[in-house]
Amino acid sequence: MKNGPLQKTRNRSLPSHAEASAHLAEDRLETGFRLLFESLDEALLLLDGNQRIRRVNRASESVTGISISDMEGAPFADLFFPLEDSALEQRRPFSLTRDLQFPNREASIYSFRIKPLPALQDRIDSAWLVHFRDEGALSKLHQERDRLMEMATLNDILPTFLHELKNPLASVMAIAELMLEELPAGANREAMEGILHETRRMKLAFEGLGNLSRNLSCSTEHHIGLALMEACGIFQPLFERLSIDFQVDVAPLPPLPLQVGGIRGILFNLLTNAKQACKAGDRVTVEAGMNESGNVFRFSVTDTGVGMPPEVAAHCTDLFFTTKPMGSGIGMALCRTALSKLDGKLGIESEPGKGTRVSAEIPIQRSHERSTAR
């Protein structure tokens, strides 16, 4: 029986077994390549010979904030930057960095590694593989790592350093006290009183820093309210000389299982910052007390000084961050770390031109509660 015209056309349209196998292999290759490409955590792009973006993985969308649908088909130069023809003509891998800012992203430094690729069976006509990443984000991780290492080093050397300072300071205080007993009223006595006051303030600072490097909690209970009043008493003459109104409102407190020196150290840092932010006529207020349930100890320092813009307030507890010419950037970082060890909180509210309020909260666990927990 002879084949009719329809039968001949049908036979010619059917691929051979070899052709069908080849197409199937290509489909599997493309599918496997696509799945591998999309599963990688690194940001990758495939460009064709005209430098149009042919394929984008999810990591690229995450880094740039640009959707895959908006990137695919777009010229690379429109979304990133033009590639130099001289670099492309050599058909060799090359690297470069660029300062870029994508929509809804902060400006940052991005590194690019660009490699030539052959076309894959004419099904993936990709001439270039582009691998890129946000070096700014990586730099922030490195900075955080370095900050933690610096904090660990500081905790190691601080007690020894402060011990070496406190010994001669104690001698100065003892001499000043002896001289005050013998000096008559007059300018010399006032000067010596000033020296004694400043050395006591330095002693308070050193004790505070030393205790902040350790745990604020302790097994015995102390009269924290008296410790706060003592610290405020040391600052009172200083605020008077600067014509800054100083208000203290410390509610009656029960004995608390907290280190006296550590709490005074936090208050010392907060009062020092408030003093530096204020001018004559401003006000500094200290408040302290327990919450209604009696299980959280709170104290705060509020000033009506210059205040801080949001970008400064967001970083003022970072180690070594300071906007002061002679600042160390250590005190607030130690306060935050000491409080966090007890699941405490350090809250900061500030507005330029209106002042700042810094509050500390410490959950209190009584001795019988700690015994029950163990």
Side-chain angles (χ1 to χ4, degrees):
M1 180 179 176
K2 295 183 179 180
N3 294 332
L6 181 60
Q7 185 69 31
K8 290 180 180 179
T9 302
R10 182 178 301 161
N11 289 343
R12 284 195 300 269
S13 64
L14 291 175
S16 66
H17 178 72
E19 291 174 338
S21 297
H23 283 301
L24 180 60
E26 291 175 15
D27 289 340
R28 287 176 176 173
L29 177 63
E30 181 177 0
T31 300
F33 183 83
R34 176 175 53 80
L35 292 175
L36 176 63
F37 184 80
E38 293 178 353
S39 65
L40 294 174
D41 293 332
E42 302 289 339
L44 298 172
L45 303 173
L46 286 176
L47 309 184
D48 62 19
N50 296 319
Q51 300 180 38
R52 284 187 175 272
I53 301 173
R54 290 291 304 276
R55 184 156 295 158
V56 181
N57 68 349
R58 291 289 178 187
S60 297
E61 184 180 51
S62 176
V63 170
T64 63
I66 304 173
S67 67
I68 291 178
S69 60
D70 287 340
M71 278 193 279
E72 288 186 340
F76 180 82
D78 289 356
L79 300 181
F80 294 86
F81 52 89
L83 295 173
E84 296 181 4
D85 292 336
S86 59
L88 299 176
E89 289 172 357
Q90 297 181 23
R91 297 292 296 175
R92 293 178 180 177
F94 62 97
S95 303
L96 44 82
T97 58
R98 287 289 187 276
D99 292 329
L100 300 174
Q101 183 171 10
F102 297 106
N104 302 319
R105 293 288 190 274
E106 294 182 359
S108 188
I109 300 175
Y110 294 83
S111 64
F112 292 82
R113 179 67 174 168
I114 302 174
K115 298 180 180 180
L117 288 178
L120 299 176
Q121 303 291 334
D122 295 328
R123 301 292 298 276
I124 305 178
D125 185 22
S126 302
W128 301 93
L129 175 67
V130 180
H131 167 220
F132 65 101
R133 66 182 181 185
D134 183 356
E135 296 292 348
L138 186 62
S139 177
K140 290 179 181 178
L141 289 176
H142 289 164
Q143 290 174 4
E144 180 64 15
R145 177 204 62 191
D146 294 343
R147 186 189 69 82
L148 293 175
M149 292 178 65
E150 289 167 347
M151 180 66 81
T153 302
L154 184 64
N155 283 338
D156 288 340
I157 67 172
L158 192 58
T160 302
F161 177 72
L162 292 177
H163 178 74
E164 294 298 324
L165 289 176
K166 285 192 292 184
N167 286 340
L169 183 64
S171 299
V172 174
M173 288 180 59
I175 294 172
E177 290 171 351
L178 289 173
M179 293 183 67
L180 274 176
E181 293 178 0
E182 300 177 359
L183 281 175
N188 290 336
R189 184 177 181 85
E190 291 179 1
M192 189 56 62
E193 287 175 345
I195 291 173
L196 181 59
H197 170 76
E198 290 302 316
T199 52
R200 285 174 176 170
R201 196 161 65 90
M202 290 172 64
K203 180 176 180 290
L204 176 63
F206 293 158
E207 287 180 350
L209 286 174
N211 282 278
L212 287 177
S213 65
R214 299 190 291 269
N215 199 321
L216 290 179
S217 179
C218 63
S219 57
T220 57
E221 297 181 338
H222 300 279
H223 294 285
I224 299 301
L226 294 178
L228 294 178
M229 294 299 296
E230 180 184 0
C232 291
I234 292 176
F235 272 85
Q236 181 71 51
L238 177 62
F239 284 123
E240 289 179 356
R241 289 201 304 270
L242 297 174
S243 299
I244 297 173
D245 184 23
F246 187 41
Q247 303 291 329
V248 179
D249 182 11
V250 176
L253 294 171
L256 299 174
L258 299 173
Q259 294 282 0
V260 171
I263 299 301
R264 283 194 306 213
I266 294 176
L267 182 60
F268 173 85
N269 277 282
L270 302 189
L271 286 175
T272 299
N273 290 336
K275 174 186 72 70
Q276 294 171 347
C278 290
K279 61 183 185 303
D282 287 333
R283 178 184 298 110
V284 174
T285 304
V286 175
E287 297 176 289
M290 305 296 294
N291 68 341
E292 294 181 358
S293 301
N295 58 359
V296 177
F297 169 54
R298 298 170 172 170
F299 63 100
S300 65
V301 174
T302 306
D303 67 69
T304 59
V306 294
M308 295 181 288
E311 59 271 18
V312 173
H315 295 285
C316 68
T317 61
D318 293 350
L319 184 62
F320 302 134
F321 177 86
T322 181
T323 59
K324 305 166 188 174
M326 301 299 292
S328 65
I330 294 176
M332 290 296 287
L334 287 176
C335 292
R336 182 197 61 185
T337 302
L339 290 170
S340 65
K341 290 178 180 178
L342 295 182
D343 295 326
K345 298 178 181 178
L346 187 67
I348 299 172
E349 305 169 45
S350 189
E351 187 174 346
K354 293 189 176 181
T356 300
R357 181 177 187 271
V358 183
S359 58
E361 292 189 0
I362 305 175
I364 298 300
Q365 192 176 32
R366 302 293 181 179
S367 56
H368 68 277
E369 294 174 345
R370 292 196 297 271
S371 300
T372 304
R374 286 195 293 267

